[in-house]
Amino acid sequence: MISYNVTHLKELEAESIYVIREVAAQFERPVLLFSGGKDSITMLHLARKAFFPASLPFPILHIDTGHNFPETIAYRDEMVERLGIKLLVGYVQDSIDKGTAIEEKGPEASRIRLQTVTLLEMLESYKFDAALGGARRDEEKARAKERFFSHRDDFGQWDPKNQRPELWNLFNGRKHQGEHFRVFPLSNWTEMDIWQYIMHEKIDIPSLYFSHQRPCIDRDGILLAECPFLQLRETEKYETYTVRFRTIGDMTSTGATLSDASTLEQIIEEVASARVTERGGRADDRRSEASMEERKKEGYF
């Protein structure tokens, strides 16, 4: 039987709800970024709690690369219909078609960086002045530099040296015309906190997070699932593994984890003993040591 500190989870919940309500109070046109992953699912759950019994005062936005897992899209669409939430979708393919984003070629091709272009275009098109994201500080060293309210300039870019102090839970959302904020209500959560909260709140999550059999290739130590978007190297071939996913992104860059964990209790036990970071299986993070920070400076999540 898994035991956890409910008081700790309730303190994290209260902090996140406070941040979400501050966004609704300080900004005119906020939006919640939704990927279909466990963090954005948790953030949506918290946002619904923050305003219950009223409906969400802002829409959710999914940046669809076109290379998503089918299970992610199915989960998203079912959830939106069930909860009656307003969903906006920005398509990376639209950015490629109009020439604002350039498709990468070759076996290492990815649409991860192209998401930034589509995201900025959607924020500009709808005049959103705050975008709630599910990033956590424990995920990656560049994430650790973020404040709850993370300022972006009028080009959508992030300067880690130009972030505002947040003393005594006071958040400064003042900005100039054309600027916006990324807001991270889950900043102080850990991967373990997320899983324990999902179990405590009985939150429904995509089947990808649970153990299943799937054809994959082993590319430089990362198991990539079979999909029509991967260009195989001459020496690569698909083999069937028993896996699950710790994080969900593009099929071309999200590595699977060998696992027999088919319940939340087993996932929590597995996370507790893991020696590889949550994003250790993300091929896009391995492009360079500063990959995430470079992308964030360009306007990435």
Side-chain angles (χ1 to χ4, degrees), residues 1 6 27 58 72 76 85 104 109 116 129 138 143 150 155 166 173 243 263 275 290 294 300:
M1 183 69 178
V6 176
F27 297 97
F58 41 71
T72 303
R76 180 200 71 187
I85 297 170
E104 295 182 4
T116 299
D129 54 0
D138 76 318
R143 302 281 201 201
S150 182
F155 292 103
E166 294 178 342
V243 300
T263 66
R275 293 296 176 264
E294 291 169 357
Y300 185 68

Tab-separated table of all heavy atoms in Angstrom, residues 1 6 27 58 72 76 85 104 109 116 129 138 143 150 155 166 173 243 263 275 290 294 300:
chain	number	residue	atom	x	y	z
A	1	MET	N	0.845	-1.192	0.000
A	1	MET	CA	0.000	0.000	0.000
A	1	MET	C	0.890	1.255	0.000
A	1	MET	O	1.749	1.410	0.863
A	1	MET	CB	-0.909	0.001	1.239
A	1	MET	CG	-1.871	1.171	1.299
A	1	MET	SD	-3.140	1.035	0.011
A	1	MET	CE	-4.131	2.489	0.384
A	6	VAL	N	-0.558	13.682	2.646
A	6	VAL	CA	-1.695	14.417	2.076
A	6	VAL	C	-1.564	15.908	2.377
A	6	VAL	O	-1.901	16.751	1.536
A	6	VAL	CB	-3.024	13.869	2.624
A	6	VAL	CG1	-4.195	14.702	2.112
A	6	VAL	CG2	-3.199	12.406	2.227
A	27	PHE	N	-4.727	39.379	-15.509
A	27	PHE	CA	-4.614	39.415	-16.966
A	27	PHE	C	-5.990	39.425	-17.622
A	27	PHE	O	-6.957	38.882	-17.088
A	27	PHE	CB	-3.785	38.226	-17.462
A	27	PHE	CG	-2.366	38.241	-16.967
A	27	PHE	CD1	-1.991	37.490	-15.853
A	27	PHE	CD2	-1.406	39.021	-17.580
A	27	PHE	CE1	-0.693	37.506	-15.380
A	27	PHE	CE2	-0.098	39.043	-17.127
A	27	PHE	CZ	0.258	38.291	-16.015
A	58	PHE	N	-11.077	30.811	-19.007
A	58	PHE	CA	-10.162	30.921	-20.143
A	58	PHE	C	-10.176	29.605	-20.916
A	58	PHE	O	-10.533	28.551	-20.381
A	58	PHE	CB	-8.741	31.261	-19.690
A	58	PHE	CG	-8.281	30.536	-18.457
A	58	PHE	CD1	-7.995	29.173	-18.480
A	58	PHE	CD2	-8.139	31.216	-17.247
A	58	PHE	CE1	-7.573	28.505	-17.344
A	58	PHE	CE2	-7.726	30.559	-16.102
A	58	PHE	CZ	-7.440	29.195	-16.151
A	72	THR	N	-2.884	10.297	-27.310
A	72	THR	CA	-2.927	11.637	-26.727
A	72	THR	C	-4.079	12.442	-27.314
A	72	THR	O	-4.825	13.110	-26.583
A	72	THR	CB	-1.602	12.381	-26.978
A	72	THR	OG1	-0.519	11.620	-26.451
A	72	THR	CG2	-1.615	13.751	-26.323
A	76	ARG	N	-7.405	13.809	-25.406
A	76	ARG	CA	-7.734	15.244	-25.434
A	76	ARG	C	-9.166	15.487	-25.881
A	76	ARG	O	-9.921	16.216	-25.233
A	76	ARG	CB	-6.762	15.970	-26.358
A	76	ARG	CG	-6.983	17.467	-26.483
A	76	ARG	CD	-6.331	18.017	-27.750
A	76	ARG	NE	-7.060	17.585	-28.948
A	76	ARG	CZ	-6.638	17.815	-30.194
A	76	ARG	NH1	-5.492	18.432	-30.403
A	76	ARG	NH2	-7.361	17.405	-31.229
A	85	ILE	N	-15.075	22.004	-22.175
A	85	ILE	CA	-14.042	23.041	-22.151
A	85	ILE	C	-13.810	23.568	-23.563
A	85	ILE	O	-13.878	22.813	-24.542
A	85	ILE	CB	-12.726	22.463	-21.591
A	85	ILE	CG1	-12.919	22.024	-20.144
A	85	ILE	CG2	-11.595	23.470	-21.671
A	85	ILE	CD1	-11.755	21.219	-19.599
A	104	GLU	N	12.233	20.025	-40.741
A	104	GLU	CA	13.539	19.388	-40.720
A	104	GLU	C	13.500	18.093	-41.544
A	104	GLU	O	12.440	17.492	-41.717
A	104	GLU	CB	13.949	19.063	-39.274
A	104	GLU	CG	14.164	20.290	-38.416
A	104	GLU	CD	14.612	19.925	-37.001
A	104	GLU	OE1	14.830	18.722	-36.729
A	104	GLU	OE2	14.764	20.831	-36.173
A	109	ALA	N	15.115	14.291	-37.745
A	109	ALA	CA	14.138	15.372	-37.903
A	109	ALA	C	13.120	15.369	-36.757
A	109	ALA	O	12.683	14.317	-36.291
A	109	ALA	CB	13.423	15.230	-39.232
A	116	THR	N	7.434	26.319	-31.261
A	116	THR	CA	7.602	27.689	-30.780
A	116	THR	C	6.974	28.674	-31.745
A	116	THR	O	6.282	29.620	-31.332
A	116	THR	CB	9.097	28.008	-30.590
A	116	THR	OG1	9.639	27.121	-29.614
A	116	THR	CG2	9.293	29.440	-30.135
A	129	ASP	N	-2.432	37.399	-23.187
A	129	ASP	CA	-1.394	38.119	-22.445
A	129	ASP	C	-0.776	37.280	-21.331
A	129	ASP	O	0.154	37.712	-20.655
A	129	ASP	CB	-1.932	39.440	-21.883
A	129	ASP	CG	-3.193	39.271	-21.047
A	129	ASP	OD1	-3.669	38.133	-20.882
A	129	ASP	OD2	-3.721	40.294	-20.569
A	138	ASP	N	11.861	20.966	-11.232
A	138	ASP	CA	12.711	19.776	-11.075
A	138	ASP	C	12.942	19.045	-12.390
A	138	ASP	O	13.763	18.134	-12.451
A	138	ASP	CB	12.098	18.814	-10.049
A	138	ASP	CG	10.911	18.028	-10.609
A	138	ASP	OD1	10.086	18.647	-11.316
A	138	ASP	OD2	10.807	16.820	-10.351
A	143	ARG	N	14.516	24.930	-16.606
A	143	ARG	CA	13.224	25.145	-15.950
A	143	ARG	C	13.408	25.722	-14.544
A	143	ARG	O	12.575	26.476	-14.050
A	143	ARG	CB	12.477	23.818	-15.837
A	143	ARG	CG	12.214	23.081	-17.135
A	143	ARG	CD	11.058	23.652	-17.896
A	143	ARG	NE	10.497	22.691	-18.841
A	143	ARG	CZ	9.771	23.039	-19.891
A	143	ARG	NH1	9.541	24.310	-20.148
A	143	ARG	NH2	9.278	22.120	-20.693
A	150	SER	N	6.647	34.367	-15.461
A	150	SER	CA	7.857	34.463	-16.268
A	150	SER	C	7.613	35.432	-17.428
A	150	SER	O	6.841	35.149	-18.349
A	150	SER	CB	8.228	33.073	-16.794
A	150	SER	OG	9.417	33.124	-17.536
A	155	PHE	N	8.800	39.932	-28.527
A	155	PHE	CA	9.121	38.901	-29.508
A	155	PHE	C	8.832	37.502	-28.947
A	155	PHE	O	9.137	36.493	-29.586
A	155	PHE	CB	10.594	38.989	-29.929
A	155	PHE	CG	10.925	40.229	-30.711
A	155	PHE	CD1	11.593	41.289	-30.105
A	155	PHE	CD2	10.552	40.348	-32.045
A	155	PHE	CE1	11.893	42.440	-30.810
A	155	PHE	CE2	10.851	41.499	-32.762
A	155	PHE	CZ	11.518	42.554	-32.148
A	166	GLU	N	9.899	37.544	-6.599
A	166	GLU	CA	8.568	37.148	-6.130
A	166	GLU	C	8.631	36.900	-4.627
A	166	GLU	O	8.736	35.776	-4.150
A	166	GLU	CB	8.102	35.891	-6.882
A	166	GLU	CG	7.870	36.162	-8.362
A	166	GLU	CD	7.450	34.948	-9.160
A	166	GLU	OE1	7.652	33.806	-8.680
A	166	GLU	OE2	6.927	35.134	-10.262
A	173	GLY	N	2.513	41.230	-12.612
A	173	GLY	CA	2.127	40.908	-13.971
A	173	GLY	C	2.071	42.113	-14.898
A	173	GLY	O	1.509	42.025	-15.995
A	243	VAL	N	6.732	-1.555	-22.425
A	243	VAL	CA	7.163	-0.199	-22.076
A	243	VAL	C	6.002	0.632	-21.529
A	243	VAL	O	4.838	0.237	-21.601
A	243	VAL	CB	7.729	0.536	-23.316
A	243	VAL	CG1	8.932	-0.190	-23.889
A	243	VAL	CG2	6.640	0.717	-24.391
A	263	THR	N	-0.189	-0.027	-12.878
A	263	THR	CA	-1.083	0.687	-11.957
A	263	THR	C	-0.378	1.931	-11.437
A	263	THR	O	0.856	2.044	-11.536
A	263	THR	CB	-1.474	-0.194	-10.758
A	263	THR	OG1	-0.300	-0.443	-9.960
A	263	THR	CG2	-2.076	-1.519	-11.211
A	275	ARG	N	16.697	6.052	-11.421
A	275	ARG	CA	17.991	6.733	-11.395
A	275	ARG	C	18.211	7.579	-12.649
A	275	ARG	O	19.241	8.218	-12.795
A	275	ARG	CB	19.119	5.695	-11.271
A	275	ARG	CG	19.103	4.968	-9.929
A	275	ARG	CD	19.378	5.937	-8.775
A	275	ARG	NE	19.284	5.282	-7.475
A	275	ARG	CZ	18.198	5.290	-6.731
A	275	ARG	NH1	17.093	5.902	-7.168
A	275	ARG	NH2	18.184	4.699	-5.553
A	290	ALA	N	22.697	22.776	-23.833
A	290	ALA	CA	21.864	23.941	-23.538
A	290	ALA	C	20.575	23.938	-24.352
A	290	ALA	O	19.945	24.967	-24.528
A	290	ALA	CB	22.651	25.219	-23.816
A	294	GLU	N	18.088	27.198	-24.788
A	294	GLU	CA	18.065	27.876	-26.087
A	294	GLU	C	16.650	27.976	-26.613
A	294	GLU	O	16.223	29.012	-27.124
A	294	GLU	CB	18.945	27.108	-27.086
A	294	GLU	CG	20.436	27.193	-26.781
A	294	GLU	CD	21.249	26.220	-27.625
A	294	GLU	OE1	20.619	25.449	-28.389
A	294	GLU	OE2	22.478	26.231	-27.514
A	300	TYR	N	9.931	28.999	-26.495
A	300	TYR	CA	9.368	27.676	-26.221
A	300	TYR	C	8.670	27.668	-24.853
A	300	TYR	O	8.838	28.587	-24.048
A	300	TYR	CB	10.501	26.644	-26.271
A	300	TYR	CG	10.100	25.201	-26.124
A	300	TYR	CD1	9.362	24.563	-27.109
A	300	TYR	CD2	10.488	24.458	-25.011
A	300	TYR	CE1	9.008	23.229	-26.998
A	300	TYR	CE2	10.132	23.126	-24.885
A	300	TYR	CZ	9.395	22.512	-25.873
A	300	TYR	OH	9.053	21.200	-25.753
